[in-house]
Amino acid sequence: MKDTIQLPIFKDFDGYSPKYHFFKNSLLGQIHDSLPWEKLSSLVPEKLQGPGAPRWFGAKGMFALMFLKAYLNTSDRQLIERFNTDWSLQYFCGKVLAADQQIRDLTIMTRIRAYIEEHCHWEQVQEVLMDHWKQDVDNSHVLLMDATCYESYVRFPTDPKLLWECCQWVFEKQLFKKCKQLGIKRPRSKYREQKTKQLGYFRKRRKPFKETLKRKKSLVFLLEKALGQLQEILDFYQGGGLDQMTLPA
């Protein structure tokens, strides 16, 4: 009897485990199976891994966290703390952490929202969900709408933040797009260098007055240079393709 081989009743294979079986039969697992993850993931571009640490979540994980935040009605910090200790949420997002792993970056939800907002149109998300759920909707001709309306993009407008958004709009939405349409080289600028400095400034918790003043002066100079370069291109090509330029909302 000592040499008898013991076979486990539940054996992990191909990522399957008893926990996964419990998750699939739970209410959260049923909600997971009711969502079109492949179509939702196709709405955002595949983000190539660049320098730095590997990212925690793919496209599915990003959308899953957005659903969990609304479903659980928790803050960003509470959601990440619960994700680190709740294996059912990890299965829902398709990211199972190892025993010695945890997400320490509590600002990851902010970056996920910004990435989805930048690369995904919510009208397309609604179309995907409606097409997937239309067979389960009994009264598809009835529209129920909440009368409450509020601005969802309200945030504290600091001078460096507003100036940087202006620089982003002029360079990425206007100048670079215009050069691509005309088939010409981009004019020389320090936009990439200033972008790196601005990201470093945003990550700092404490922003001294002198550093903020320095950032504002640099961004004002960069914005004036970008507007001048854009005007030169428009004057030289007599406003060619001006009707295709993107205006701010």
Side-chain angles (χ1 to χ4, degrees):
M1 295 295 294
K2 294 183 179 180
D3 298 333
T4 303
I5 300 177
Q6 295 182 359
L7 297 177
I9 298 177
F10 296 101
K11 182 180 179 181
D12 294 348
F13 60 95
D14 297 335
Y16 180 83
S17 68
K19 289 184 178 180
Y20 184 74
H21 174 74
F22 299 150
F23 166 73
K24 296 293 287 186
N25 289 275
S26 64
L27 178 59
L28 194 61
Q30 295 175 10
I31 296 176
H32 175 273
D33 295 340
S34 67
L35 293 169
W37 296 114
E38 294 184 0
K39 293 183 179 179
L40 289 175
S41 301
S42 64
L43 297 179
V44 294
E46 294 184 2
K47 189 176 181 181
L48 300 178
Q49 181 63 43
R55 56 177 180 164
W56 286 101
F57 300 99
K60 175 188 174 182
M62 295 181 185
F63 281 107
L65 284 174
M66 294 294 100
F67 277 101
L68 288 175
K69 180 174 174 60
Y71 178 73
L72 299 175
N73 192 22
T74 60
S75 64
D76 293 350
R77 183 187 184 94
Q78 292 172 341
L79 179 60
I80 296 302
E81 289 178 349
R82 181 171 174 181
F83 179 88
N84 288 329
T85 57
D86 194 335
W87 50 265
S88 62
L89 301 189
Q90 298 175 17
Y91 279 121
F92 190 89
C93 298
K95 176 64 177 181
V96 179
L97 301 179
D100 58 344
Q101 276 187 326
Q102 65 173 342
I103 300 177
R104 294 185 174 90
D105 185 7
L106 300 179
T107 63
I108 189 172
M109 293 296 299
T110 302
R111 297 200 303 275
I112 288 177
R113 277 192 295 268
Y115 181 79
I116 293 178
E117 178 186 2
E118 181 180 358
H119 297 90
C120 182
H121 298 284
W122 285 110
E123 293 82 2
Q124 297 178 354
V125 176
Q126 293 176 351
E127 290 180 1
V128 170
L129 294 178
M130 286 189 295
D131 292 340
H132 187 72
W133 289 337
K134 62 182 179 181
Q135 297 180 355
D136 300 326
V137 178
D138 296 330
N139 300 319
S140 59
H141 62 286
V142 178
L143 174 63
L144 299 178
M145 184 177 297
D146 189 359
T148 305
C149 181
Y150 61 93
E151 177 60 49
S152 59
Y153 297 99
V154 174
R155 53 198 176 87
F156 188 72
T158 60
D159 291 341
K161 189 183 299 182
L162 295 175
L163 287 171
W164 175 244
E165 289 179 354
C166 292
C167 292
Q168 276 188 313
W169 182 80
V170 173
F171 275 100
E172 297 184 4
K173 301 294 184 180
Q174 304 299 328
L175 186 59
F176 295 163
K177 185 177 180 181
K178 186 66 177 176
C179 293
K180 184 177 180 180
Q181 291 175 352
L182 297 174
I184 60 177
K185 289 185 177 181
R186 298 177 180 178
R188 296 182 61 184
S189 66
K190 294 188 176 181
Y191 175 72
R192 291 184 177 179
E193 178 182 343
Q194 291 297 329
K195 183 177 182 179
T196 303
K197 292 182 178 180
Q198 190 66 21
L199 292 177
Y201 174 80
F202 282 150
R203 292 193 181 100
K204 293 184 177 180
R205 293 186 178 182
R206 182 178 176 274
K207 301 177 177 62
F209 174 77
K210 291 185 178 180
E211 186 175 359
T212 301
L213 184 62
K214 184 178 179 180
R215 279 278 80 218
K216 290 194 291 185
K217 290 182 179 180
S218 300
L219 292 176
V220 168
F221 179 80
L222 183 67
L223 182 60
E224 289 179 349
K225 184 175 181 179
L227 292 174
Q229 292 173 340
L230 179 62
Q231 189 61 47
E232 289 179 1
I233 293 177
L234 294 177
D235 293 340
F236 184 80
Y237 289 94
Q238 298 179 357
L242 184 61
D243 55 337
Q244 300 179 5
M245 298 182 67
T246 305
L247 296 178

